[in-house]
Every structure is written in structure tokens, then in C-alpha cells.
Amino acid sequence: MDWRRLTVLIAAGAAHLWISRRTEETRRDGGTGPHMDTSVVWILPAMVLLPAWMAVVSMLLLRVQLYPVARRPLYRYTFGTAGILLAALASLFVIRFSGIHVTETFGARESLLLGLAGLAYFVVNAVAIGGVIALSTPQPTWAVVVGSRRDNAMAALTVSLGAMAALAIAHAWLAPLFMVPLLGAVDWGLLQIENLKGDARTDHKTQLLNSRGWHEQTGREIARARRQQGTMAVAVIDLDHFKQVNDTWGHPAGDAVLRAVGTVLRETTRQGDVVGRFGGEEFVLLLPDTDADQAARVAERVRQGVAEMHVAATDKRGQPVLISHRTASIGIASGPGATADLDDLLRSADAAVYEAKHGGRNQVRVADPGTHVPD
């Protein structure tokens, strides 16, 4: 029976990691501080039900399978595995010291001790990882050391699911295979909730306005410009050869570049400029009270900022890389606020972007104000 449980735990863990691979990559890339992955769902049952050596082998095999997904340098991943091993052994100690056998009886005492085993796992792992972060960071903050609310909520949920998995396996050794689809759905659902729980007007990767938020805010700015008879400009920014970043280093590296571009835009634009990301590699600016020459100067600062970026990321194998020499093509359109039409300005700016790309990329082009761009 021990061998059956070991085999089914390893198989279920492998299937779970395969189903939730991209979700786990996204969550890890977006999270800060110590990250607790959902493999505890399979580690805790092993500590509760299997002989000690089998439980450790099961945990190590799961960690080997998770390494391609983790996208971390080997030395960091090895240390993380050591921390998880200590946490797993702490839960194993609680189970063995208490002498409970959930395969035979399960009552209030067993429930309490199983909960203590899960708590021991969580506390020891958090202390091991958070302690090293505190010691290795010049000015650590509580949020960085402890981790985000999202990761801690995920930790509590996965520990609870691990306890439920232990009970299920104790009475039906094939039970984990039926839990895999549920866990895959939980992983995906939690990621979607995290993406939606914030401001629906914000792009979660760059923390800039998304298309909806940008249009809402620019609508108010256009109404103000019409009242005050001011001028305005729109700049469309398209990253050059952005697909090469994803193809060469992977999507998490591409997300790191997008976040860096968001930082550049916040630092190089002015107070009152409306900055947004339309999706993919396209960003857009609304520049109130700005003519074409002023907009070109703002756009040139943005272009230089992108060209000077040095983005620390990890490649497809989890090795650190430094991404630099990225460029952007920028198109500008301007007009009087009294008669400005946002859609016309966007079309003209977009046409200017194509001119910049055809002209060699990494440049700013201003649309001719007298040129009409058809739909």
C-alpha cells in the first residue's frame, strides 16, 4: 500500500504541474517575497501517510519536476528545496511524535494534530525563506520578507487542501487522481480573481491604465480641452521586435520588459499626461495642452528611456539574463482641443508609428496635421 500511495502521489503531482504550468509561471513572475507553490498539496499527504524515507523521496521528485516551471537559478531553487524539506520534516515530526494514524481512526484529536502538522510546515518554510531574504536585503520591508497577501492566502488554502488530500488517500489510494482537475481549476481561478480584484481600469502587468481606463480618463481630458480651447496630442508607442524577447527568453522575461517600459513611461512623462497600455507591446499617451513640438520632446524622452533600459529577468531555464538594447517606434498626432476627435488622433498617430517602423524603427514620427487617415 505504501508503494501504491507513493506512485499515485508522484503521478498526481506530475499531472497537476503539467495542467497548471502556465498559471504557476504567471503567479511566480508577478509575485514578490517568498512564494509558496501548490506542491504542498502532495507533500503533506506524503509526510502523513508514508514512511519517512518514502515521504522525502516523494517530495524531492516533485521538486525536480517543478524546476522547469520555477524559472529560478539552480542555487536559489536548491536553497528553496532545502527550506521546503525542513518544513516537510517539521510536519513529519508532528505526525510521528503524536502517534496518530488517520488510516485507522479520525476524530477531533486527529483533526487538531493534522492541522498542527500543516501549521508547522507553513511556519518553518516561511521562517527559512523570509529569514534569508531579511539577511540578504539591505533594507528589507515587512511586505518583502513575509510575502504578499495573495501568497499567504494561497499557502493557507494549499495546506488545507493537503490535509484533505491526506484524508482522501488514507481511505482511497486513487483519490489524488480525482483531485488533479479540481486543483488545476483552483490555480486558474485564483489567478483570474487576482487579476480582477484590483482596479478594473488598470493593466496588472505594468500598473498603467488599461484601454478602458485610458479611454475613460481621456474622455474627461477632451471635454476639458473643448471648454478651454486648448491643444492636445496623442502618442502611440510600439516596442520594436518585442516578439523576439518572448521567443528568446520566454514570456516571463517579456513581462519583465513590459514592466520596465511602464516604469520608463511614469518617469519620463509629465504630471497630467494620461499613460496607458492597450495590450501586447503597444502603449499610448494623451498629452493635454501640448502641441506637436512639445509632444515630440516628450516622446523623445520616452524613446531614449526605453533604449537605455537594462532589464534583469530569467530565461526559459531559470538562469538570470540582462535584457538591453530594446527600442521603440513612436507616432504622434496633435490637434486643437476644441475640435479634437480622439479616434482620428489615434489613427493618425498609429499611421505615424508605421512610418517610423518603415523608416528604420527606434525613432519618433509626427503625423501631418493636414493628412486625413481613413477608417
Side-chain angles (χ1 to χ4, degrees), residues 86-249:
L86 287 176
L89 292 176
S91 65
L92 179 68
F93 174 79
V94 172
I95 296 299
R96 297 298 188 269
F97 182 78
S98 65
I100 65 170
H101 298 281
V102 296
T103 56
E104 299 173 2
T105 59
F106 189 79
R109 177 175 177 271
E110 287 77 14
S111 299
L112 176 61
L113 290 171
L114 192 56
L116 287 176
L119 181 63
Y121 182 100
F122 172 73
V123 171
V124 173
N125 186 57
V127 170
I129 304 300
V132 170
I133 291 176
L135 292 173
S136 60
T137 305
Q139 294 181 331
T141 63
W142 181 256
V144 170
V145 173
V146 175
S148 67
R149 182 180 301 178
R150 176 189 66 180
D151 280 345
N152 282 286
M154 173 65 72
L157 175 63
T158 52
V159 168
S160 299
L161 290 174
M164 294 173 60
L167 293 178
I169 298 167
H171 299 284
W173 66 276
L174 283 174
L177 299 180
F178 296 94
M179 294 181 62
V180 170
L182 172 63
L183 289 171
V186 168
D187 286 337
W188 182 85
L190 288 173
L191 182 63
Q192 301 310 308
I193 291 172
E194 181 63 24
N195 291 341
L196 295 174
K197 75 175 184 179
D199 188 350
R201 301 168 65 247
T202 303
D203 173 63
H204 72 278
K205 288 184 180 178
T206 62
Q207 300 306 307
L208 302 175
L209 293 172
N210 60 20
S211 178
R212 172 184 173 183
W214 189 83
H215 277 92
E216 288 180 357
Q217 190 161 334
T218 53
R220 292 190 289 270
E221 289 295 334
I222 289 175
R224 184 184 64 83
R226 287 173 178 168
R227 291 194 304 270
Q228 299 180 0
Q229 304 292 309
T231 59
M232 67 170 49
V234 166
V236 173
I237 303 153
D238 194 281
L239 303 182
D240 297 328
H241 303 298
F242 180 72
K243 187 176 181 297
Q244 290 181 354
V245 176
N246 290 330
D247 293 344
T248 303
W249 295 291

